Amino acid sequence: MGKPDIAFLGTGLMGAPMAANLLKAGYAVRVWNRTAEKARPLASSGAVICDHPLQAVASADVVITMVSDGAAVCDLLFELQVSKAMGSGSIFIDMSSIKPAQARDHAARLAGRDIDCLDAPVSGGTKGAKAATLAIMVGGAQSAFDRAKPVLEAMGRPVRVGEAGAGQLAKLANQAIVASTIGVVAEAMLLAEKGGAEPAALRKALKGGFADSIILQQHGERMTTGNFTPGGRSATQLKDIDNIVEEATTLSLSLPLTEQMQHRYRRLVSELDGGNCDHSSIYLELKDRNGLS
Ligand code: NA7
């Protein structure tokens, strides 16, 4: 069998480079985005730009969504009738970050339709999306994963972590680590800066040690240079933290570090106007709480 035809719905910060990598890997890709101008640049890479999601989905073997949240995915699937337009035997892959319960609900609603369903959220930001090195956490049947794996591998490194919803659960675990790590990297950078150490040299000195991480190197640099152009938006980080805390409550768990980061990201987004800044801008919230501009 040849390469499957792909419909890609949602070409925002992450979706656009992911769709570009599918095109680069030789897939035929039809794209749709709610705000049409964000999809248009993909035409030069060979994408067919569609005016309506159903136009993209009609003849697709694989439908991928990469939109803001569970409500947007649900709207596409069941209000705009994407699920009805999908053919028998096709695969639906939601790569958005949504609640595990929503992913399980979508899988259950598609189950009677002979459509394979995977939740496959990602980590790695726009850098990973462009480089096709995303961590892809997948929930769903093994057979569906096996079918979808070559497509996912064009965007990064897919690993199946369990049945429907497990990909989203893995993403919440990922975001708990990301949120708290960004928070503590911000504290380390501010401590060093205020105390008179050179921040770039500090990052170099810590490289390869126990405290080293992609977050220290990438987001630490952003904090030093003040570059908060979004790779991942603070508003998106807050959505994920809200979902972590909700899931933890369902599981009767208390997650104190995450709960503190929830409070701080909420403050950054609602009081300091940081929603559209990169999530490393929690550094600005830290400076603000220390009375530093
Ligand atoms: P962006 O750049 O904010 O992109 C969000 C995308 O979702 C963008 O294409 C939006 O279209 C689209 N969107 C939002 N709401 C809807 C509805 N209701 N219907 C259809 N499309 C919608 O975010 P990222 O690319 O960084 O993140 C995407 C996902 O990955 C998200 O789940 C993150 O948590 C991780 P627009 O261009 O605004 O018209």
Side-chain angles (χ1 to χ4, degrees):
M1 197 179 94
K3 282 178 182 277
D5 286 352
I6 298 174
F8 201 107
L9 311 180
T11 57
L13 283 174
M14 294 292 291
M18 290 163 69
N21 281 326
L22 290 170
L23 290 158
K24 211 182 282 173
Y27 290 98
V29 186
R30 298 165 79 85
V31 300
W32 170 84
N33 194 64
R34 185 180 59 176
T35 309
E37 61 262 29
K38 286 191 202 164
R40 268 186 215 119
L42 287 162
S44 61
S45 310
V48 175
I49 314 295
C50 298
D51 295 329
H52 194 279
L54 297 192
Q55 196 189 335
V57 165
S59 58
D61 304 301
V62 176
V63 174
I64 297 175
T65 44
M66 189 54 169
V67 292
S68 298
D69 52 26
V73 179
C74 188
D75 200 43
L76 277 169
L77 275 176
F78 306 112
E79 294 301 319
L80 290 172
Q81 311 282 8
V82 161
S83 64
K84 273 198 182 148
M86 288 180 66
S88 169
S90 57
I91 311 176
F92 173 68
I93 309 175
D94 180 26
M95 303 191 77
S96 325
S97 295
I98 72 172
K99 297 177 191 184
Q102 290 171 319
R104 287 190 286 267
D105 176 57
H106 296 161
R109 290 170 76 175
L110 291 174
R113 293 258 359 260
D114 188 29
I115 296 172
D116 274 338
C117 185
L118 295 170
D119 47 294
V122 305
S123 179
T126 46
K127 222 172 177 165
K130 282 181 193 142
T133 56
L134 291 168
I136 307 178
M137 300 148 265
V138 189
Q142 181 71 49
S143 56
F145 176 74
D146 293 341
R147 286 179 70 203
K149 201 165 170 237
V151 171
L152 295 172
E153 279 173 341
M155 296 177 279
R157 193 178 52 82
V159 175
R160 180 179 176 269
V161 283
E163 298 298 331
Q168 297 297 348
L169 202 54
K171 169 74 187 216
L172 293 187
N174 180 85
Q175 290 307 82
I177 295 169
V178 168
S180 292
T181 307
I182 290 183
V184 80
V185 162
E187 291 183 10
M189 298 316 289
L190 188 61
L191 179 73
E193 199 182 304
K194 195 82 183 5
E198 215 280 288
L202 173 81
R203 288 195 306 278
K204 196 171 165 192
L206 267 50
K207 213 174 171 78
F210 273 158
D212 195 18
S213 64
I214 294 174
I215 288 177
L216 173 66
Q217 297 302 333
Q218 278 185 23
H219 293 310
E221 184 178 5
R222 279 174 172 278
M223 291 169 196
T224 306
T225 58
N227 171 15
F228 299 116
T229 305
R233 295 185 306 122
S234 298
T236 305
Q237 178 73 59
L238 178 59
K239 172 203 71 171
D240 291 336
I241 298 177
D242 286 344
N243 288 346
I244 297 168
V245 173
E246 190 179 317
E247 186 72 14
T249 305
T250 309
L251 297 169
S252 303
L253 293 173
S254 155
L255 305 178
L257 285 175
T258 306
E259 283 160 23
Q260 192 179 76
M261 292 314 295
Q262 181 185 38
H263 172 70
R264 293 188 49 205
Y265 270 104
R266 185 157 295 144
R267 187 166 171 268
L268 175 66
V269 169
S270 49
E271 291 175 33
L272 302 175
D273 200 24
N276 283 320
C277 295
D278 188 75
H279 52 169
S280 53
S281 65
I282 200 69
Y283 181 67
L284 299 180
E285 191 271 352
L286 181 66
K287 282 181 95 172
D288 182 77
R289 83 180 29 236
N290 280 283
L292 302 165
S293 60

